[in-house]
Amino acid sequence: MQINTPFFKQRAHDALADENLQKALAKLKTGFPEKRAIAVDRMPEFEELRNQGRDLKNHIMEHLDLYLEQFERKVIENGGHVHWARTADDANQIILDICQQVDAKTVTKGKSMVTEEIGLNDYLEANGVQPVETDLGEYILQLRHDHPSHIIAPAIHLNLEDVSEAFHANHHRPKSNDPAVLMQEAREMLREKFVAADVGITGANFCVAETGSTIIVTNEGNGDLTQTLPKTHIVVTSIEKVVPTLEDMTLFLRLLARSATGQEFSVYNTLSTGPRREGDQDGPENFHVVLVDNGRSEMIGTEFQDMLRCIRCSACMNHCPVYGAVGGHSYGWVYPGPMGSVLTPQMIGIEKGGMLPNASTFCGKCESVCPVKIPLPKLMRHWREDEFEKHLQPKAARYGLASWAFFAKRPTLYKPYTRMASWLMKSWAGKDGRIKKLPLASGWTDWRDMPAPQGKTFMQAWKEQQKTKTGEQR
C-alpha cells in the first residue's frame, strides 16, 4: 500500500468536500458509539475489566519473549510450524515460500490488517499467486482496487450504490440496490473460491501460549471456511497478540466485542490448534504461523510500549471527531484514527508520518473508550515533541509557536494582547456568537463556525479566583 501520510492535509480537505464520503461517515457517528454505550451500560464490571486488561497486557509486554517462546513450542508440539519475520519483506517471502512449496495458484484470505501492513496481496500477485479476499467488506474493496478505511469495517466509506456498481462491473449480473440480493451474489461468487483455494490465510486476534492456539473473531463465516477448507492454513499475526492462557483470552474477548461493535460476543470465535488430527472432520493438513515484528520490538521499553496493548477494536476511531470528519483514507496508510496516529510514525518514520499525531483535538475521548486504557493523547504528544526536536514541523507552525512563547514568557505583554484578541474575536462574531471567517484560521472556518470567546480571559478569571480565596482565608 502506497504511503500517503505526508499529504494528510490535502486528503483531509478533499474528504470534507466529498459528499458521498460524508454521507457514509454520518452513519458511523450514530452506529458503533451508541451500540458500545448500550453494551457497556449493561455490564457493571466493564471498568474493572478494562483495568484487568490493561494490567494483563502490561504483564505480557514485560515477559513477551517468554510467552512467544512458549507459544512456539506448543505450536510445534501440535504439528504446526512457526516462522519469525523481523520485517515486512521477511514476512512476505516466508508466506510466498509456503505457497510455492504446495504449488498454490489461488489463496483465500480472511480479514487481516497485518497483511495490509506488509503489502501481502501485491506481493503475491507479483509472484503469480492470486489472493482472494473473503471478508465481504474486503472483497468489495478488492473489486474496486481500493483499500480499507477502518480496521473492523473496511468499506465503511462506501454507500450501497458503490457496492452495486462494483458487483455489476465485476460479476456481470443485473444491477441491484437490494442488500439481500447483493449478499447472495457475493456468497455465490465466493463459494467456488473457497472450494478451489490451495491455501487459506487468516490473521489472529490472539495467540494462546499455553495451548499453541490462534483465534479469529468475526461476524461472517468466511474466516472458518478460509482456515478449514484449504490443505494449508497460514496465520499471519504480530508478536504482541500473544496471551498466556485461554482464560486470559476470554477476558479480552469480553472487552473486544463490546468496544468494537457493541455486541456482547462476536458471532464467530474460532480457535485453530495445529493441523488436522486423526478423527477430525475438517481442518488443514499443514498449519503455519508467521509472527511479524516490523518495528514492534523497538517499542518495548520506550514511551510507546503502551501502544502494544492495542487489541484492534476500533473504539478510538469510532469516537474520534477527526476520523469522523475526514475518514480513514485521509490518514494515508494502513492504520487510521488515533491508534494509527501513534502506530504509523513508528512503522514508517516520523519524517513521513508526522502529520498524523497533529491530526487530533486532544479531546481525550479515544483514551476514555479504549478497552485497555492506552493513553493515546500522551503518546501523540510524544510524537509531536519528537517532530519538533527534529525540526520537522512546517515553518509556519514553528514560527507560530515561537511567537506564542515570546508573549507567554512576558506577562506584561501577554495579558493586554490576549484581552485585545478576545475583544476582536467577539466583535467579529455575529448575533449568534459565532465567527464565520477568521484570519489565519481558514482551515477551521471554511468548514465550521468558530465560537467567539465568552466571558473573561483565563488570566482575569484566575486573578479573581485567587482574590476570592485570599478573602475567605482571612
Side-chain angles (χ1 to χ4, degrees):
M1 182 176 176
Q2 186 176 355
I3 297 173
N4 290 308
T5 51
F7 311 110
F8 174 83
K9 280 190 176 180
Q10 183 58 51
R11 293 168 73 88
H13 185 276
D14 295 342
L16 288 166
D18 187 331
E19 293 183 5
N20 284 336
L21 174 62
Q22 293 303 316
K23 178 182 173 183
L25 289 175
K27 301 172 185 175
L28 171 69
K29 297 172 185 177
T30 58
F32 291 145
E34 289 184 1
K35 292 176 181 177
R36 176 195 177 276
I38 293 170
V40 169
D41 286 343
R42 287 200 300 258
M43 177 177 270
E45 68 271 29
F46 188 78
E47 193 62 24
E48 178 56 30
L49 291 180
R50 291 180 71 206
N51 290 331
Q52 291 177 18
R54 175 200 60 203
D55 295 344
L56 177 54
K57 274 288 187 176
N58 286 342
H59 166 79
I60 293 169
M61 291 306 110
E62 293 295 330
H63 304 86
L64 184 59
D65 54 340
L66 300 179
Y67 288 122
L68 286 172
E69 289 172 358
Q70 181 186 4
F71 172 75
E72 179 186 36
R73 286 195 302 271
K74 286 297 181 179
V75 171
I76 294 172
E77 287 176 13
N78 294 330
H81 307 272
V82 175
H83 310 265
W84 300 84
R86 179 168 290 280
T87 67
D89 289 341
D90 292 342
N92 284 329
Q93 187 60 56
I94 290 167
I95 296 164
L96 178 63
D97 288 346
I98 297 170
C99 290
Q100 291 177 338
Q101 288 169 12
V102 296
D103 196 28
K105 297 295 185 290
T106 303
V107 303
T108 48
K109 287 181 72 257
K111 193 173 78 63
S112 164
M113 295 308 297
V114 175
T115 61
E116 292 284 344
E117 175 188 321
I118 65 177
L120 179 61
N121 283 10
D122 291 341
Y123 189 82
L124 291 178
E125 287 179 1
N127 287 276
V129 180
Q130 180 59 49
V132 178
E133 296 287 354
T134 63
D135 172 87
L136 181 58
E138 294 278 4
Y139 176 66
I140 293 166
L141 296 180
Q142 188 175 35
L143 294 181
R144 290 170 50 89
H145 304 286
D146 199 353
H147 295 286
S149 64
H150 191 280
I151 63 172
I152 68 165
I156 200 168
H157 58 287
L158 301 179
N159 292 297
L160 181 61
E161 296 79 9
D162 300 319
V163 179
S164 176
E165 192 65 43
F167 277 24
H168 176 65
N170 289 273
H171 298 164
H172 308 294
R173 295 189 180 187
K175 188 182 293 188
S176 173
N177 285 329
D178 184 342
V181 172
L182 295 173
M183 182 72 74
Q184 182 59 31
E185 188 174 319
R187 286 195 183 103
E188 292 173 4
M189 299 302 294
L190 286 171
R191 194 167 292 145
E192 60 188 58
K193 304 294 185 183
F194 284 123
V195 174
D198 304 298
V199 171
I201 298 175
T202 69
N205 291 88
F206 305 104
C207 302
V208 184
E210 75 169 346
T211 62
S213 306
T214 63
I215 184 171
I216 57 171
V217 178
T218 70
N219 283 315
E220 302 174 27
N222 67 298
D224 290 9
L225 294 172
T226 298
Q227 64 186 20
T228 57
L229 289 181
K231 292 183 178 180
T232 299
H233 176 204
I234 305 174
V235 178
V236 186
T237 190
S238 49
I239 57 174
E240 80 279 13
K241 299 292 184 64
V242 68
V243 297
T245 68
L246 288 169
E247 184 177 358
D248 295 327
M249 179 194 71
T250 61
L251 165 63
F252 291 119
L253 291 180
R254 296 178 73 190
L255 289 167
L256 177 59
R258 289 173 173 85
S259 299
T261 58
Q263 296 167 277
E264 293 186 3
F265 235 60
S266 297
V267 177
Y268 297 94
N269 297 272
T270 307
L271 286 157
S272 294
T273 309
R276 181 192 302 185
R277 291 172 289 271
E278 186 176 351
D280 287 350
Q281 294 183 349
D282 56 25
E285 296 176 5
N286 308 299
F287 180 74
H288 297 265
V289 180
V290 181
L291 292 170
V292 181
D293 185 331
N294 206 26
R296 288 166 173 83
S297 60
E298 297 172 10
M299 300 166 71
I300 300 290
T302 73
E303 62 266 38
F304 298 108
Q305 178 173 310
D306 288 343
M307 190 63 225
L308 295 176
R309 295 205 299 258
C310 181
I311 60 173
R312 303 297 191 271
C313 69
S314 81
C316 61
M317 63 193 70
N318 293 344
H319 293 78
C320 177
V322 177
Y323 179 95
V326 302
H329 284 165
S330 297
Y331 291 79
W333 200 54
V334 177
Y335 300 109
M339 58 86 69
S341 296
V342 175
L343 201 55
T344 299
Q346 174 67 34
M347 293 187 169
I348 68 173
I350 189 64
E351 295 79 10
K352 293 180 180 179
M355 292 295 298
L356 303 191
N358 292 283
S360 173
T361 65
F362 276 16
C363 66
K365 189 66 175 177
C366 52
E367 182 176 1
S368 71
V369 298
C370 175
V372 286
K373 296 192 172 183
I374 299 172
L376 290 159
K378 184 181 81 171
L379 300 183
M380 283 186 273
R381 189 165 60 250
H382 284 318
W383 279 125
R384 290 187 186 186
E385 292 167 355
D386 188 46
E387 182 188 40
F388 183 82
E389 290 170 359
K390 293 179 178 177
H391 300 277
L392 297 173
Q393 285 182 318
K395 287 184 178 180
R398 296 184 66 83
Y399 291 152
L401 188 58
S403 299
W404 175 84
F406 175 84
F407 284 99
K409 289 186 288 186
R410 295 166 175 82
T412 54
L413 291 175
Y414 185 81
K415 293 175 183 177
Y417 272 94
T418 53
R419 285 197 298 268
M420 184 186 304
S422 179
W423 178 83
L424 282 172
M425 292 178 71
K426 288 177 183 177
S427 67
W428 286 332
K431 293 181 179 179
D432 59 355
R434 306 185 75 81
I435 302 170
K436 309 294 182 184
K437 292 288 182 182
L438 187 65
L440 304 179
S442 60
W444 178 287
T445 56
D446 281 352
W447 304 103
R448 63 185 76 77
D449 295 342
M450 178 175 283
Q454 301 293 321
K456 301 169 183 175
T457 67
F458 173 80
M459 298 297 291
Q460 290 171 327
W462 176 262
K463 187 176 181 179
E464 290 184 8
Q465 185 185 64
Q466 294 304 107
K467 284 183 178 179
T468 302
K469 284 185 178 180
T470 303
E472 290 174 352
Q473 290 172 356
R474 289 177 182 173

